[in-house]
Amino acid sequence: MSVNNVQSNFSNGMSYSANLVSTTIPTQSLVPIQAITAATTLTPTQSGSTFTVSQATAYAITLPALQNGLNYKFICSTTGAHTVAITSTAANIVGFAMFGPNATVKSSHSAGTATVNFATGAAGVGDVIYIHCDGSNWFAQGLSGSNTTGITFA
């Protein structure tokens, strides 16, 4: 951080003086998006990560033990005839999914399940699931462009 004194003299005899503080803002490092294409168990060190998900095969992505502050983002990158399940060890996933590109937007809600899915044949490229933990529950929010239930709770 540095302080610079700036002075200006105006033609009417007035002068202006100010101290300007400049700070160096560190450059933000980029966090690469990671691809998931098979069964995976996430770790707390991966919190804050964004993952692409392929439906080329059926598999489960297992969330770690509940811990306040953990969060993950999943984006469907390849559609297929298989369900990809994001699972917890208990019925502690609560939240909603909104879907439908037409004028009638639909929703799906969960008061507590163990799984949220990119659904077989219904999820689309770009559908997304956000998951956040408060230490007691996983909160899931899903958005899908599907006319049917691209994201489901089970």
PDB file of all heavy atoms in Angstrom, residues 84-114:
ATOM      1  N   VAL A  84     -26.675 -40.020 -12.959  1.00  0.00           N
ATOM      2  CA  VAL A  84     -25.518 -39.756 -12.107  1.00  0.00           C
ATOM      3  C   VAL A  84     -26.078 -39.250 -10.785  1.00  0.00           C
ATOM      4  O   VAL A  84     -26.808 -38.247 -10.752  1.00  0.00           O
ATOM      5  CB  VAL A  84     -24.561 -38.731 -12.737  1.00  0.00           C
ATOM      6  CG1 VAL A  84     -23.450 -38.376 -11.758  1.00  0.00           C
ATOM      7  CG2 VAL A  84     -23.981 -39.273 -14.036  1.00  0.00           C
ATOM      8  N   ALA A  85     -25.751 -39.960  -9.707  1.00  0.00           N
ATOM      9  CA  ALA A  85     -26.297 -39.661  -8.384  1.00  0.00           C
ATOM     10  C   ALA A  85     -25.243 -38.973  -7.524  1.00  0.00           C
ATOM     11  O   ALA A  85     -24.092 -39.405  -7.484  1.00  0.00           O
ATOM     12  CB  ALA A  85     -26.761 -40.946  -7.713  1.00  0.00           C
ATOM     13  N   ILE A  86     -25.646 -37.902  -6.857  1.00  0.00           N
ATOM     14  CA  ILE A  86     -24.809 -37.252  -5.849  1.00  0.00           C
ATOM     15  C   ILE A  86     -25.403 -37.665  -4.518  1.00  0.00           C
ATOM     16  O   ILE A  86     -26.570 -37.360  -4.238  1.00  0.00           O
ATOM     17  CB  ILE A  86     -24.796 -35.727  -6.042  1.00  0.00           C
ATOM     18  CG1 ILE A  86     -24.285 -35.391  -7.450  1.00  0.00           C
ATOM     19  CG2 ILE A  86     -23.953 -35.051  -4.965  1.00  0.00           C
ATOM     20  CD1 ILE A  86     -24.524 -33.956  -7.870  1.00  0.00           C
ATOM     21  N   THR A  87     -24.631 -38.392  -3.708  1.00  0.00           N
ATOM     22  CA  THR A  87     -25.195 -39.048  -2.537  1.00  0.00           C
ATOM     23  C   THR A  87     -24.541 -38.621  -1.226  1.00  0.00           C
ATOM     24  O   THR A  87     -23.383 -38.241  -1.185  1.00  0.00           O
ATOM     25  CB  THR A  87     -25.076 -40.579  -2.650  1.00  0.00           C
ATOM     26  OG1 THR A  87     -23.692 -40.932  -2.637  1.00  0.00           O
ATOM     27  CG2 THR A  87     -25.715 -41.093  -3.924  1.00  0.00           C
ATOM     28  N   SER A  88     -25.336 -38.724  -0.175  1.00  0.00           N
ATOM     29  CA  SER A  88     -24.877 -38.520   1.190  1.00  0.00           C
ATOM     30  C   SER A  88     -25.089 -39.827   1.941  1.00  0.00           C
ATOM     31  O   SER A  88     -25.803 -40.713   1.465  1.00  0.00           O
ATOM     32  CB  SER A  88     -25.677 -37.390   1.845  1.00  0.00           C
ATOM     33  OG  SER A  88     -25.264 -37.195   3.168  1.00  0.00           O
ATOM     34  N   THR A  89     -24.497 -39.936   3.106  1.00  0.00           N
ATOM     35  CA  THR A  89     -24.631 -41.172   3.881  1.00  0.00           C
ATOM     36  C   THR A  89     -25.953 -41.257   4.630  1.00  0.00           C
ATOM     37  O   THR A  89     -26.264 -42.285   5.211  1.00  0.00           O
ATOM     38  CB  THR A  89     -23.468 -41.295   4.890  1.00  0.00           C
ATOM     39  OG1 THR A  89     -23.471 -40.121   5.717  1.00  0.00           O
ATOM     40  CG2 THR A  89     -22.141 -41.419   4.170  1.00  0.00           C
ATOM     41  N   ALA A  90     -26.738 -40.163   4.647  1.00  0.00           N
ATOM     42  CA  ALA A  90     -28.027 -40.151   5.338  1.00  0.00           C
ATOM     43  C   ALA A  90     -29.001 -39.286   4.550  1.00  0.00           C
ATOM     44  O   ALA A  90     -28.621 -38.622   3.575  1.00  0.00           O
ATOM     45  CB  ALA A  90     -27.849 -39.611   6.755  1.00  0.00           C
ATOM     46  N   ALA A  91     -30.241 -39.269   4.969  1.00  0.00           N
ATOM     47  CA  ALA A  91     -31.273 -38.471   4.295  1.00  0.00           C
ATOM     48  C   ALA A  91     -31.176 -37.014   4.762  1.00  0.00           C
ATOM     49  O   ALA A  91     -32.053 -36.495   5.442  1.00  0.00           O
ATOM     50  CB  ALA A  91     -32.653 -39.048   4.578  1.00  0.00           C
ATOM     51  N   ASN A  92     -30.079 -36.355   4.385  1.00  0.00           N
ATOM     52  CA  ASN A  92     -29.850 -34.985   4.836  1.00  0.00           C
ATOM     53  C   ASN A  92     -29.615 -34.006   3.687  1.00  0.00           C
ATOM     54  O   ASN A  92     -29.040 -32.945   3.887  1.00  0.00           O
ATOM     55  CB  ASN A  92     -28.684 -34.950   5.830  1.00  0.00           C
ATOM     56  CG  ASN A  92     -27.436 -35.607   5.278  1.00  0.00           C
ATOM     57  OD1 ASN A  92     -27.288 -35.782   4.084  1.00  0.00           O
ATOM     58  ND2 ASN A  92     -26.542 -35.992   6.162  1.00  0.00           N
ATOM     59  N   ILE A  93     -30.065 -34.370   2.488  1.00  0.00           N
ATOM     60  CA  ILE A  93     -30.016 -33.443   1.354  1.00  0.00           C
ATOM     61  C   ILE A  93     -31.383 -32.793   1.237  1.00  0.00           C
ATOM     62  O   ILE A  93     -32.392 -33.478   1.029  1.00  0.00           O
ATOM     63  CB  ILE A  93     -29.638 -34.153   0.040  1.00  0.00           C
ATOM     64  CG1 ILE A  93     -28.237 -34.771   0.145  1.00  0.00           C
ATOM     65  CG2 ILE A  93     -29.712 -33.180  -1.128  1.00  0.00           C
ATOM     66  CD1 ILE A  93     -27.827 -35.588  -1.072  1.00  0.00           C
ATOM     67  N   VAL A  94     -31.438 -31.506   1.412  1.00  0.00           N
ATOM     68  CA  VAL A  94     -32.691 -30.759   1.296  1.00  0.00           C
ATOM     69  C   VAL A  94     -32.515 -29.687   0.237  1.00  0.00           C
ATOM     70  O   VAL A  94     -31.414 -29.215  -0.009  1.00  0.00           O
ATOM     71  CB  VAL A  94     -33.112 -30.122   2.646  1.00  0.00           C
ATOM     72  CG1 VAL A  94     -33.404 -31.185   3.677  1.00  0.00           C
ATOM     73  CG2 VAL A  94     -32.053 -29.174   3.163  1.00  0.00           C
ATOM     74  N   GLY A  95     -33.604 -29.318  -0.421  1.00  0.00           N
ATOM     75  CA  GLY A  95     -33.492 -28.268  -1.421  1.00  0.00           C
ATOM     76  C   GLY A  95     -34.537 -28.378  -2.498  1.00  0.00           C
ATOM     77  O   GLY A  95     -35.598 -28.964  -2.309  1.00  0.00           O
ATOM     78  N   PHE A  96     -34.206 -27.819  -3.660  1.00  0.00           N
ATOM     79  CA  PHE A  96     -35.153 -27.774  -4.760  1.00  0.00           C
ATOM     80  C   PHE A  96     -34.417 -27.788  -6.090  1.00  0.00           C
ATOM     81  O   PHE A  96     -33.223 -27.521  -6.160  1.00  0.00           O
ATOM     82  CB  PHE A  96     -36.011 -26.507  -4.683  1.00  0.00           C
ATOM     83  CG  PHE A  96     -35.230 -25.258  -5.017  1.00  0.00           C
ATOM     84  CD1 PHE A  96     -35.203 -24.768  -6.312  1.00  0.00           C
ATOM     85  CD2 PHE A  96     -34.496 -24.595  -4.042  1.00  0.00           C
ATOM     86  CE1 PHE A  96     -34.470 -23.640  -6.627  1.00  0.00           C
ATOM     87  CE2 PHE A  96     -33.769 -23.462  -4.342  1.00  0.00           C
ATOM     88  CZ  PHE A  96     -33.754 -22.983  -5.647  1.00  0.00           C
ATOM     89  N   ALA A  97     -35.152 -28.108  -7.130  1.00  0.00           N
ATOM     90  CA  ALA A  97     -34.661 -28.004  -8.504  1.00  0.00           C
ATOM     91  C   ALA A  97     -35.750 -27.346  -9.337  1.00  0.00           C
ATOM     92  O   ALA A  97     -36.924 -27.660  -9.196  1.00  0.00           O
ATOM     93  CB  ALA A  97     -34.320 -29.383  -9.063  1.00  0.00           C
ATOM     94  N   MET A  98     -35.350 -26.415 -10.161  1.00  0.00           N
ATOM     95  CA  MET A  98     -36.268 -25.762 -11.099  1.00  0.00           C
ATOM     96  C   MET A  98     -35.926 -26.264 -12.491  1.00  0.00           C
ATOM     97  O   MET A  98     -34.745 -26.397 -12.828  1.00  0.00           O
ATOM     98  CB  MET A  98     -36.098 -24.241 -11.046  1.00  0.00           C
ATOM     99  CG  MET A  98     -36.303 -23.630  -9.667  1.00  0.00           C
ATOM    100  SD  MET A  98     -37.966 -23.810  -9.013  1.00  0.00           S
ATOM    101  CE  MET A  98     -38.873 -22.737 -10.072  1.00  0.00           C
ATOM    102  N   PHE A  99     -36.946 -26.532 -13.303  1.00  0.00           N
ATOM    103  CA  PHE A  99     -36.683 -27.025 -14.651  1.00  0.00           C
ATOM    104  C   PHE A  99     -37.788 -26.590 -15.596  1.00  0.00           C
ATOM    105  O   PHE A  99     -38.900 -26.294 -15.179  1.00  0.00           O
ATOM    106  CB  PHE A  99     -36.507 -28.546 -14.666  1.00  0.00           C
ATOM    107  CG  PHE A  99     -37.569 -29.293 -13.915  1.00  0.00           C
ATOM    108  CD1 PHE A  99     -38.701 -29.752 -14.551  1.00  0.00           C
ATOM    109  CD2 PHE A  99     -37.436 -29.527 -12.554  1.00  0.00           C
ATOM    110  CE1 PHE A  99     -39.681 -30.436 -13.856  1.00  0.00           C
ATOM    111  CE2 PHE A  99     -38.409 -30.207 -11.846  1.00  0.00           C
ATOM    112  CZ  PHE A  99     -39.534 -30.663 -12.494  1.00  0.00           C
ATOM    113  N   GLY A 100     -37.435 -26.540 -16.864  1.00  0.00           N
ATOM    114  CA  GLY A 100     -38.411 -26.218 -17.901  1.00  0.00           C
ATOM    115  C   GLY A 100     -38.108 -24.934 -18.628  1.00  0.00           C
ATOM    116  O   GLY A 100     -38.158 -23.870 -18.037  1.00  0.00           O
ATOM    117  N   PRO A 101     -37.762 -25.018 -19.908  1.00  0.00           N
ATOM    118  CA  PRO A 101     -37.487 -23.808 -20.670  1.00  0.00           C
ATOM    119  C   PRO A 101     -38.747 -23.123 -21.187  1.00  0.00           C
ATOM    120  O   PRO A 101     -38.686 -22.010 -21.682  1.00  0.00           O
ATOM    121  CB  PRO A 101     -36.655 -24.327 -21.841  1.00  0.00           C
ATOM    122  CG  PRO A 101     -37.180 -25.714 -22.064  1.00  0.00           C
ATOM    123  CD  PRO A 101     -37.520 -26.221 -20.681  1.00  0.00           C
ATOM    124  N   ASN A 102     -39.872 -23.785 -21.055  1.00  0.00           N
ATOM    125  CA  ASN A 102     -41.104 -23.207 -21.584  1.00  0.00           C
ATOM    126  C   ASN A 102     -41.740 -22.259 -20.575  1.00  0.00           C
ATOM    127  O   ASN A 102     -41.195 -22.008 -19.512  1.00  0.00           O
ATOM    128  CB  ASN A 102     -42.080 -24.318 -22.018  1.00  0.00           C
ATOM    129  CG  ASN A 102     -42.382 -25.265 -20.876  1.00  0.00           C
ATOM    130  OD1 ASN A 102     -42.178 -24.937 -19.728  1.00  0.00           O
ATOM    131  ND2 ASN A 102     -42.856 -26.445 -21.200  1.00  0.00           N
ATOM    132  N   ALA A 103     -42.892 -21.747 -20.883  1.00  0.00           N
ATOM    133  CA  ALA A 103     -43.557 -20.763 -20.024  1.00  0.00           C
ATOM    134  C   ALA A 103     -43.992 -21.350 -18.681  1.00  0.00           C
ATOM    135  O   ALA A 103     -44.219 -20.616 -17.735  1.00  0.00           O
ATOM    136  CB  ALA A 103     -44.766 -20.184 -20.741  1.00  0.00           C
ATOM    137  N   THR A 104     -44.100 -22.660 -18.591  1.00  0.00           N
ATOM    138  CA  THR A 104     -44.520 -23.295 -17.345  1.00  0.00           C
ATOM    139  C   THR A 104     -43.302 -23.908 -16.669  1.00  0.00           C
ATOM    140  O   THR A 104     -42.938 -25.041 -16.922  1.00  0.00           O
ATOM    141  CB  THR A 104     -45.575 -24.385 -17.608  1.00  0.00           C
ATOM    142  OG1 THR A 104     -46.631 -23.822 -18.363  1.00  0.00           O
ATOM    143  CG2 THR A 104     -46.111 -24.945 -16.315  1.00  0.00           C
ATOM    144  N   VAL A 105     -42.663 -23.150 -15.811  1.00  0.00           N
ATOM    145  CA  VAL A 105     -41.512 -23.656 -15.075  1.00  0.00           C
ATOM    146  C   VAL A 105     -42.011 -24.564 -13.960  1.00  0.00           C
ATOM    147  O   VAL A 105     -42.967 -24.246 -13.270  1.00  0.00           O
ATOM    148  CB  VAL A 105     -40.676 -22.486 -14.507  1.00  0.00           C
ATOM    149  CG1 VAL A 105     -39.541 -23.006 -13.639  1.00  0.00           C
ATOM    150  CG2 VAL A 105     -40.146 -21.627 -15.626  1.00  0.00           C
ATOM    151  N   LYS A 106     -41.356 -25.709 -13.810  1.00  0.00           N
ATOM    152  CA  LYS A 106     -41.762 -26.686 -12.796  1.00  0.00           C
ATOM    153  C   LYS A 106     -40.674 -26.760 -11.736  1.00  0.00           C
ATOM    154  O   LYS A 106     -39.568 -26.276 -11.922  1.00  0.00           O
ATOM    155  CB  LYS A 106     -41.937 -28.046 -13.463  1.00  0.00           C
ATOM    156  CG  LYS A 106     -42.958 -28.029 -14.583  1.00  0.00           C
ATOM    157  CD  LYS A 106     -42.912 -29.305 -15.380  1.00  0.00           C
ATOM    158  CE  LYS A 106     -43.776 -29.156 -16.611  1.00  0.00           C
ATOM    159  NZ  LYS A 106     -43.336 -29.956 -17.716  1.00  0.00           N
ATOM    160  N   SER A 107     -40.989 -27.420 -10.642  1.00  0.00           N
ATOM    161  CA  SER A 107     -39.988 -27.582  -9.591  1.00  0.00           C
ATOM    162  C   SER A 107     -40.124 -28.932  -8.916  1.00  0.00           C
ATOM    163  O   SER A 107     -41.158 -29.580  -8.987  1.00  0.00           O
ATOM    164  CB  SER A 107     -40.105 -26.462  -8.560  1.00  0.00           C
ATOM    165  OG  SER A 107     -41.339 -26.559  -7.871  1.00  0.00           O
ATOM    166  N   SER A 108     -39.046 -29.326  -8.273  1.00  0.00           N
ATOM    167  CA  SER A 108     -38.992 -30.550  -7.491  1.00  0.00           C
ATOM    168  C   SER A 108     -38.372 -30.168  -6.155  1.00  0.00           C
ATOM    169  O   SER A 108     -37.399 -29.411  -6.117  1.00  0.00           O
ATOM    170  CB  SER A 108     -38.125 -31.574  -8.227  1.00  0.00           C
ATOM    171  OG  SER A 108     -37.893 -32.695  -7.425  1.00  0.00           O
ATOM    172  N   HIS A 109     -38.922 -30.661  -5.060  1.00  0.00           N
ATOM    173  CA  HIS A 109     -38.448 -30.279  -3.729  1.00  0.00           C
ATOM    174  C   HIS A 109     -38.053 -31.514  -2.926  1.00  0.00           C
ATOM    175  O   HIS A 109     -38.590 -32.591  -3.125  1.00  0.00           O
ATOM    176  CB  HIS A 109     -39.542 -29.518  -2.963  1.00  0.00           C
ATOM    177  CG  HIS A 109     -39.960 -28.263  -3.643  1.00  0.00           C
ATOM    178  ND1 HIS A 109     -39.320 -27.071  -3.459  1.00  0.00           N
ATOM    179  CD2 HIS A 109     -40.942 -28.023  -4.541  1.00  0.00           C
ATOM    180  CE1 HIS A 109     -39.885 -26.140  -4.200  1.00  0.00           C
ATOM    181  NE2 HIS A 109     -40.880 -26.694  -4.863  1.00  0.00           N
ATOM    182  N   SER A 110     -37.127 -31.299  -2.008  1.00  0.00           N
ATOM    183  CA  SER A 110     -36.716 -32.374  -1.108  1.00  0.00           C
ATOM    184  C   SER A 110     -36.702 -31.860   0.324  1.00  0.00           C
ATOM    185  O   SER A 110     -36.077 -30.841   0.616  1.00  0.00           O
ATOM    186  CB  SER A 110     -35.320 -32.864  -1.471  1.00  0.00           C
ATOM    187  OG  SER A 110     -34.792 -33.647  -0.421  1.00  0.00           O
ATOM    188  N   ALA A 111     -37.375 -32.576   1.208  1.00  0.00           N
ATOM    189  CA  ALA A 111     -37.344 -32.233   2.623  1.00  0.00           C
ATOM    190  C   ALA A 111     -36.292 -33.052   3.357  1.00  0.00           C
ATOM    191  O   ALA A 111     -36.095 -32.890   4.543  1.00  0.00           O
ATOM    192  CB  ALA A 111     -38.712 -32.480   3.244  1.00  0.00           C
ATOM    193  N   GLY A 112     -35.615 -33.922   2.639  1.00  0.00           N
ATOM    194  CA  GLY A 112     -34.567 -34.737   3.236  1.00  0.00           C
ATOM    195  C   GLY A 112     -34.445 -36.084   2.554  1.00  0.00           C
ATOM    196  O   GLY A 112     -35.221 -36.982   2.821  1.00  0.00           O
ATOM    197  N   THR A 113     -33.509 -36.187   1.633  1.00  0.00           N
ATOM    198  CA  THR A 113     -33.237 -37.446   0.948  1.00  0.00           C
ATOM    199  C   THR A 113     -31.733 -37.686   1.002  1.00  0.00           C
ATOM    200  O   THR A 113     -30.970 -36.830   1.433  1.00  0.00           O
ATOM    201  CB  THR A 113     -33.688 -37.418  -0.533  1.00  0.00           C
ATOM    202  OG1 THR A 113     -32.920 -36.432  -1.225  1.00  0.00           O
ATOM    203  CG2 THR A 113     -35.156 -37.111  -0.671  1.00  0.00           C
ATOM    204  N   ALA A 114     -31.315 -38.824   0.531  1.00  0.00           N
ATOM    205  CA  ALA A 114     -29.892 -39.149   0.511  1.00  0.00           C
ATOM    206  C   ALA A 114     -29.264 -38.903  -0.853  1.00  0.00           C
ATOM    207  O   ALA A 114     -28.048 -39.015  -0.990  1.00  0.00           O
ATOM    208  CB  ALA A 114     -29.681 -40.603   0.927  1.00  0.00           C
TER     209      ALA A 114
END
